[in-house]
Amino acid sequence: MLLNELLYRQQRRWRTCLIVSSLLLVAICVFAVAVGEIWILPWAPNGALEQQLLLQLRIPRVLAALIVGAALASSGAVLQVLLGNPLAEPGVLGISGGASLAVVLLLFFVPITPTPFITMIAAIAGALLFTLILVGFSRRQKVSMARLLLIGVALGILSGAVVTWAFYFSDDLSMRQLMYWLMGSVGGVSWEQLSLLFVIVPVLIVLCMQGKSLDVMMLGDVAARQLGVDVRRIRWLLILMISLLVGCSVALAGVIGFVGLVVPHLLRLQFGTENQYLLPLSAICGGILLVLADTLSRVLLADADLPIGVVTTSLGAPVFIWMLMRSQLD
């Protein structure tokens, strides 16, 4: 009876947190749409100028930050279970770098401006390739988790070096301007680019529904198979969905680091490891974090718009160092 009561209290705690975080997300999104050089009431814009600012600039930007944050945070939560490493994250492991590398190579070698769909395909291909490399290494018993993390970091450095060479040899001004995008930015996102949401949102929903399977997989492959989980199929499905989410996120907003690392890890420390609730909560909190970071990037400097990746890195790097030191002490 006592065990059932404890389980009930834990589930109620998760559900309460989901409801509160959802309401907080709505409030933060409304605030992000309203704040700026011109304060605008989203439900009552004053004149054509404010209406245009809302529809063409602020609402697409907030939507992009929301969905990218949710995609990266949930992908990080799944990767941490899939690779058995609490420090796993698309940016740290180089998966985001693989997606950005594919996009830059596409822009460098294709003479025409690619459509959002073609950019998405290239980013997904790069993210999938780097994810397969990491999963392939993780399945080998000789590769430790610490070494796997270093391999991911090395892949990210390699992709960054190739991107730098591409910029160096390019005379195209638009290619050089992409450096700002690669630092992570949702500024200037258009409704045409937001067509990627038709891919991201369904995949994100399906990914967040895999929590029970992940809970079983945490027991080990043998135990999961005995409980009726097709481990191989679920693992490949998760790899594909992570690649889709990371690829679309990079195509939409560039490389944004530490969201997938900090959000799920801190939620695990605070609430536990029940992926059934952790995945949707990570998505919601990831959206909150990135919308807040984008809002800060717009208002911190009066005459400039900071790349959102700079804000998330400034917030996430100290937490990452603390996590490394904590794991070393453990």
Side-chain angles (χ1 to χ4, degrees):
M1 186 65 181
L2 181 60
L3 178 60
N4 290 333
E5 184 178 353
L6 289 174
L7 291 175
Y8 174 74
R9 288 182 179 178
Q10 180 66 10
Q11 290 178 354
R12 186 174 63 180
R13 187 185 182 196
W14 278 110
R15 291 167 183 166
T16 301
C17 188
L18 282 169
I19 294 173
V20 172
S21 59
S22 298
L23 295 175
L24 180 62
L25 175 62
V26 173
I28 289 175
C29 287
V30 172
F31 173 76
V33 170
V35 71
E37 292 185 5
I38 301 176
W39 282 79
I40 303 174
L41 295 178
W43 54 88
N46 186 15
L49 175 61
E50 292 189 358
Q51 187 174 3
Q52 188 174 6
L53 284 174
L54 282 176
L55 294 178
Q56 300 301 324
L57 294 178
R58 295 189 184 178
I59 292 179
R61 183 167 184 160
V62 170
L63 283 176
L66 168 62
I67 202 64
V68 169
L72 293 177
S74 57
S75 297
V78 173
L79 276 173
Q80 289 167 10
V81 176
L82 193 63
L83 301 179
N85 191 331
L87 301 179
E89 190 261 347
V92 175
L93 293 176
I95 299 174
S96 297
S100 65
L101 173 62
V103 172
V104 169
L105 291 179
L106 172 69
L107 296 173
F108 189 75
F109 290 108
V110 177
I112 61 174
T113 302
T115 63
F117 179 77
I118 295 176
T119 303
M120 177 191 70
I121 295 299
I124 291 171
L128 180 60
L129 176 61
F130 276 48
T131 306
L132 291 176
I133 293 174
L134 289 170
V135 172
F137 278 115
S138 69
R139 303 311 300 167
R140 294 178 55 185
Q141 296 181 356
K142 294 181 180 180
V143 178
S144 65
M145 289 299 104
R147 184 167 296 181
L148 181 66
L149 179 65
L150 293 176
I151 292 172
V153 172
L155 288 174
I157 294 173
L158 177 62
S159 64
V162 175
V163 169
T164 302
W165 279 108
F167 282 126
Y168 183 80
F169 287 108
S170 175
D171 293 328
D172 189 354
L173 180 61
S174 63
M175 284 288 291
R176 298 187 184 277
Q177 290 174 341
L178 280 176
M179 184 63 74
Y180 180 85
W181 170 77
L182 287 173
M183 295 171 68
S185 174
V186 292
V189 172
S190 65
W191 287 105
E192 181 185 5
Q193 292 172 299
L194 286 176
S195 61
L196 296 180
L197 297 187
F198 291 105
V199 176
I200 300 177
V201 173
V203 174
L204 182 60
I205 293 173
V206 174
L207 184 70
C208 290
M209 295 172 61
Q210 305 302 313
K212 290 184 178 180
S213 298
L214 282 174
D215 287 332
V216 176
M217 291 174 65
M218 290 177 67
L219 301 175
D221 289 358
V222 176
R225 292 191 187 96
Q226 292 175 347
L227 292 173
V229 175
D230 189 344
V231 177
R232 182 180 177 84
R233 184 185 68 84
I234 292 296
R235 180 175 288 116
W236 283 107
L237 177 64
L238 293 174
I239 291 171
L240 178 60
M241 288 191 291
I242 289 171
S243 301
L244 283 168
L245 291 177
V246 174
C248 291
S249 298
V250 171
L252 190 62
V255 179
I256 299 175
F258 294 104
V259 176
L261 171 70
V262 172
V263 172
H265 188 79
L266 294 181
L267 290 176
R268 279 195 181 93
L269 290 177
Q270 184 66 30
F271 298 103
T273 58
E274 296 177 62
N275 293 289
Q276 179 183 358
Y277 300 103
L278 180 66
L279 293 186
L281 185 59
S282 294
I284 294 171
C285 293
I288 291 174
L289 175 61
L290 210 60
V291 171
L292 281 176
D294 180 58
T295 305
L296 285 175
S297 71
R298 289 194 289 121
V299 301
L300 280 178
L301 298 179
D303 299 326
D305 192 352
L306 290 173
I308 192 173
V310 174
V311 179
T312 58
T313 302
S314 301
L315 296 174
V319 178
F320 181 58
I321 295 172
W322 168 75
M323 289 167 61
L324 283 173
M325 297 181 65
R326 184 177 180 273
S327 63
Q328 183 69 26
L329 291 175
D330 293 340

